[in-house]
Amino acid sequence: MSESAKENIILQTHFPTLKLIGRGKVRDLYDLGEHLLLVATDRLSAFDVIMPQGIPHKGRVLTQISAFWFQHTADIIENHLVSVNVDDYPEACRPYHKQLAQRSMLVRKTQPLLIECVVRGYLSGSAWLEYKETGSVCGLKLPNGLIESDKLPQPIFTPATKAEAGQHDENISFERTAEIVGRERAEQLRDSSIRIYQRASDMAEQRGLIIADTKMEFGVRDGKLILIDELLTPDSSRFWPRASYKPGGSQPSFDKQFVRDYLLSIKWNKQPPAPNLPEEVVRVTSEKYLEAYEKLAGLKIEDSGL
């Protein structure tokens, strides 16, 4: 890993003249009055614990992939993105141009809905574990005889409630979703999420990637449903290489699974503080994020400015 890549890692932003309103696992959030500023750092969390080291290029990759998908799904549903070009931001952001470049988004404010909108096209992760026990996922009965990583007959909507910090999201049924947000809104969430997933899945397949599943978030602005947060990134989705896809077990992926596998191999107890990651694990994880961006955007890294 180059020294310049290490030097450009941002674990936390400090913009004293801007109003910080929160830090998530990855993003720092600033209130700019009419808009919000989302800044994707290079932080990485695994098992809901933030790792001590950042992953080079990660924040930029997450931002640029989200911008790519917001552009390509805008005809399906309106999203919150205003710009990813720092030159378009309010004057107050100018002193921080270098830190904000390519890793930030200026977005419209919405009232976020407390539902994680998960769409699954393949049987993996917690869905596979639930299917093995019950034959269903989030109350949806699936065909008998499916194996791990099988492609589902059609994408399914498997929502979850958004957990408090340090807790896990809880899978819920569509009926429970309707109780929380109302039936009409729940149907909007389901139908929009599935349409976005199908669009992205088709595009990704043409670029050699399978999107096994993904998680989306929505908000409401002036009574209208708006797509928010990040979209179809390696942090919110499972990306698998199409060329090596073979159902019957877990698949290699373009995300932080490499870190999770390492942490499992050393039998870490999944409690803070997290252990230091070997340089090789950091390097390979960075490469996986970059490769996902290259494949999706059709750009080589040196051409993208990342």
Side-chain angles (χ1 to χ4, degrees):
M1 187 187 310
S2 70
E3 289 303 315
S4 63
K6 293 180 186 177
E7 290 170 4
N8 289 328
I9 290 175
I10 293 180
L11 288 177
Q12 194 173 92
T13 58
H14 300 279
F15 304 145
T17 59
L18 301 182
K19 183 181 178 182
L20 176 71
I21 56 174
R23 298 191 196 275
K25 292 175 184 173
V26 174
R27 285 168 182 79
D28 292 349
L29 181 62
Y30 292 85
D31 189 334
L32 300 182
E34 181 183 354
H35 298 108
L36 295 176
L37 181 67
L38 300 185
V39 188
T41 70
D42 299 312
R43 294 194 294 266
L44 181 141
S45 72
F47 305 111
D48 292 320
V49 179
I50 295 174
M51 299 292 107
Q53 295 117 303
I55 304 300
H57 309 294
K58 180 174 181 282
R60 292 186 175 93
V61 167
L62 295 183
T63 300
Q64 298 306 314
I65 287 181
S66 288
F68 173 85
W69 288 120
F70 281 136
Q71 177 187 349
H72 286 282
T73 59
D75 62 316
I76 296 175
I77 187 170
E78 185 179 340
N79 61 65
H80 70 163
L81 181 62
V82 175
S83 181
V84 292
N85 184 347
V86 183
D87 292 337
D88 297 335
Y89 295 3
E91 189 67 32
C93 298
R94 297 298 161 82
Y96 314 112
H97 190 288
K98 183 177 179 181
Q99 297 100 309
L100 292 173
Q102 298 189 313
R103 66 167 69 246
S104 62
M105 295 191 293
L106 186 70
V107 303
R108 281 178 282 272
K109 290 181 174 179
T110 69
Q111 181 62 48
L113 296 175
L114 300 181
I115 299 289
E116 300 277 11
C117 293
V118 180
V119 181
R120 303 176 188 275
Y122 293 75
L123 192 56
S124 185
S126 63
W128 165 240
L129 297 177
E130 185 178 345
Y131 172 80
K132 284 196 297 181
E133 290 185 9
T134 67
S136 303
V137 177
C138 291
L140 297 173
K141 179 67 178 172
L142 296 180
N144 295 328
L146 296 178
I147 59 177
E148 184 176 5
S149 301
D150 252 343
K151 184 173 184 178
L152 298 173
Q154 58 195 31
I156 58 174
F157 179 67
T158 61
T161 55
K162 291 188 67 173
E164 296 296 321
Q167 299 180 6
H168 295 285
D169 297 341
E170 179 187 354
N171 292 343
I172 58 175
S173 66
F174 177 78
E175 292 305 320
R176 178 64 183 135
T177 304
E179 290 175 6
I180 295 171
V181 300
R183 179 159 295 275
E184 183 178 356
R185 187 69 82 195
E187 290 174 353
Q188 276 186 295
L189 291 172
R190 178 193 62 199
D191 296 347
S192 297
S193 298
I194 289 176
R195 285 186 67 196
I196 291 166
Y197 172 82
Q198 289 175 322
R199 167 78 59 81
S201 182
D202 290 344
M203 290 178 61
E205 286 249 359
Q206 296 169 13
R207 293 161 166 81
L209 289 178
I210 290 171
I211 303 177
D213 53 49
T214 193
K215 175 179 67 178
M216 304 172 215
E217 296 193 33
F218 293 83
V220 176
R221 180 181 172 91
D222 298 329
K224 183 188 292 187
L225 195 65
I226 306 286
L227 183 62
I228 65 171
D229 198 54
E230 64 179 326
L231 183 61
L232 290 151
T233 72
D235 271 16
S236 64
S237 319
R238 281 187 178 88
F239 291 128
W240 298 337
R242 190 183 66 186
S244 61
Y245 169 65
K246 185 179 180 182
S250 61
Q251 309 293 310
S253 57
F254 294 99
D255 59 18
K256 56 188 174 185
Q257 189 60 46
F258 193 73
V259 172
R260 291 195 197 99
D261 291 345
Y262 167 75
L263 294 171
L264 290 171
S265 75
I266 63 170
K267 297 182 170 51
W268 175 51
N269 65 5
K270 303 179 186 178
Q271 298 297 318
N276 283 317
L277 300 174
E279 184 165 325
E280 176 71 2
V281 172
V282 173
R283 181 186 64 79
V284 172
T285 302
S286 178
E287 289 174 354
K288 287 179 178 292
Y289 276 87
L290 288 168
E291 187 176 357
Y293 173 76
E294 278 194 19
K295 285 182 175 294
L296 285 171
L299 290 171
K300 292 295 182 184
I301 294 309
E302 57 269 21
D303 298 328
S304 69
L306 288 182

